[in-house]
Amino acid sequence: GYEVTTAATGEEGLRLFAERRPPIILSDIKMPGLSGLDVAEALAALRPDLPVVISSGYVTEDLLAAASRAGVRRVLQKEFTLEQLPPLLQQVFAEPAPAGR
């Protein structure tokens, strides 16, 4: 039941966000140009309540801390399946925006 829009780069993702105003962002940590964290920081400045989920194949404490500072709601460990996404998105949508955002 979700409509998905894809972007090949962080810059393209930000442009598409401005055009389409999606209710949630799912981004990879490593992309050409802007990283997923760069995109999350830019989006937090534009719309602090927007839920952002980042995926990474290598989740460390440093990444989790950086993601939290960037306003990321969840860090999703790769390799995940499509069956895991809907429950995760429902959880993120159900949570209130973090305080101060």
Side-chain angles (χ1 to χ4, degrees):
Y2 293 101
E3 181 180 325
V4 176
T5 301
T6 62
T9 67
E11 293 85 355
E12 181 184 9
L14 289 175
R15 181 182 57 73
L16 288 170
F17 169 79
E19 292 172 7
R20 299 179 187 217
R21 310 298 283 183
I24 193 166
I25 300 293
L26 173 60
S27 177
D28 196 71
I29 190 71
K30 296 203 181 223
M31 298 183 296
L34 296 174
S35 74
L37 290 178
D38 294 333
V39 169
E41 289 171 352
L43 292 171
L46 295 171
R47 204 175 120 204
D49 63 319
L50 179 71
V52 176
V53 177
I54 297 286
S55 68
S56 176
Y58 188 64
V59 177
T60 65
E61 290 300 317
D62 288 341
L63 171 59
L64 293 173
S68 179
R69 286 190 302 274
V72 172
R73 300 267 185 102
R74 290 278 197 297
V75 176
L76 183 60
Q77 175 77 48
K78 289 181 187 173
E79 295 294 322
F80 55 89
T81 66
L82 291 180
E83 290 79 20
Q84 292 171 297
L85 281 178
L88 174 89
L89 296 177
Q90 290 170 354
Q91 288 175 357
V92 172
F93 280 131
E95 296 172 353
R101 294 228 170 255

